Amino acid sequence: LFLFGNTTLQAQNDIGGWLMLFGDAQVKNAPVKFNYELQNRNHKFTSDLNQLLVRGNVQYTGIENLNLALGYAYVLSEKQEEPNLPFREHRIFQEVMTKQQLSKVTFRHRFRFEQRWFDEAEFRTRARYQFKVMIPWFEGEKGNSFYTTAYSELFINTNKTKEVQNVFDRNRVSLGKGYRFNKKFAVQAAYMVQLYEKGNDPQITVGI
């Protein structure tokens, strides 16, 4: 809301809304970390469920500036309006992440490869690459900060099925702002657009 003001409510019927919770837990005295997330994605800003996503991974952090992860995701998807026609997806994914620091600006690269199983559709695989930038523009003495963040994430289909023939799946482009209260808690809001071959899908995302 602090990003978009009243335009958010005016665009309620045209823009989707994603509410996301992210967290992690470091294993004491071991180079292992657990990551988890829960996302509620709506076709409209506050209603009409699009997807419910539960995802987690185990991450190895023992290599300097290179994190390796193995994870699983459960996705429940529904069609827009009625009837919902829900369908379920199970994913296993492998991930590599690295980052660079230039002054106070952080650049992050994430590579992910997904294996996807559906209720009544063929098995699919997909590769993803995300390039993300984070720029702090105020930093307090207690680890609190305001920051701007932007990313682009390219999705590539790596096998063909009856339903999927194109290599290009989508590209997500996002720009937002956030506030970090301390090293353990932050909130963020952004405007994100999913770009497809024949159109686009705008979203307001709120992350915790």
Side-chain angles (χ1 to χ4, degrees), residues 3 11 26 28 30 35-37 55-56 59 99 104 110 114 116 124 128-129 133 136 144 150 155 162-163 200 204 208:
L3 273 174
Q26 181 75 44
K28 190 175 182 179
N35 295 273
Y36 58 88
E37 61 184 279
R55 181 162 48 205
Q59 196 173 101
K99 61 183 180 180
K104 294 183 178 182
R110 188 182 72 189
E114 299 175 326
R116 311 170 67 198
R124 305 177 194 173
R128 301 166 55 167
Y129 166 66
V133 181
N144 57 313
F155 293 65
K162 294 179 181 178
E163 296 87 1
N200 61 77
I204 300 294
I208 300 172

Side-chain angles (χ1 to χ4, degrees), residues 49-80:
L49 179 66
N50 178 6
Q51 285 185 331
L52 177 65
L53 182 147
V54 181
R55 181 162 48 205
N57 67 61
V58 180
Q59 196 173 101
Y60 176 71
T61 60
I63 305 173
E64 184 178 359
N65 196 29
L66 188 68
N67 291 352
L68 308 176
L70 175 65
Y72 165 79
Y74 169 79
V75 187
L76 172 67
S77 300
E78 292 186 354
K79 301 290 185 180
Q80 191 169 3

Side-chain angles (χ1 to χ4, degrees), residues 120-203:
E120 298 179 0
E122 294 179 272
F123 171 75
R124 305 177 194 173
T125 59
R126 184 169 66 183
R128 301 166 55 167
Y129 166 66
Q130 184 190 85
F131 174 67
K132 186 174 185 178
V133 181
M134 295 188 67
I135 307 171
W137 46 275
F138 166 80
E139 294 183 296
E141 296 179 354
K142 298 181 180 180
N144 57 313
S145 65
F146 283 101
Y147 61 90
T148 297
T149 181
Y151 73 80
S152 176
E153 184 168 14
L154 178 65
F155 293 65
I156 296 295
N157 295 311
T158 51
N159 72 321
K160 289 187 177 182
T161 69
K162 294 179 181 178
E163 296 87 1
V164 178
Q165 295 293 319
N166 297 331
V167 173
F168 175 75
D169 183 79
R170 71 192 68 187
N171 187 34
R172 290 178 182 165
V173 180
S174 175
L175 176 65
K177 293 181 181 180
Y179 180 71
R180 180 172 295 281
F181 293 86
N182 50 52
K183 292 182 178 180
K184 295 186 177 181
F185 184 75
V187 294
Q188 177 179 301
Y191 179 75
M192 186 267 287
V193 179
Q194 298 196 85
L195 304 171
Y196 301 96
E197 186 177 1
K198 297 181 180 180
N200 61 77
D201 188 14
Q203 315 285 341

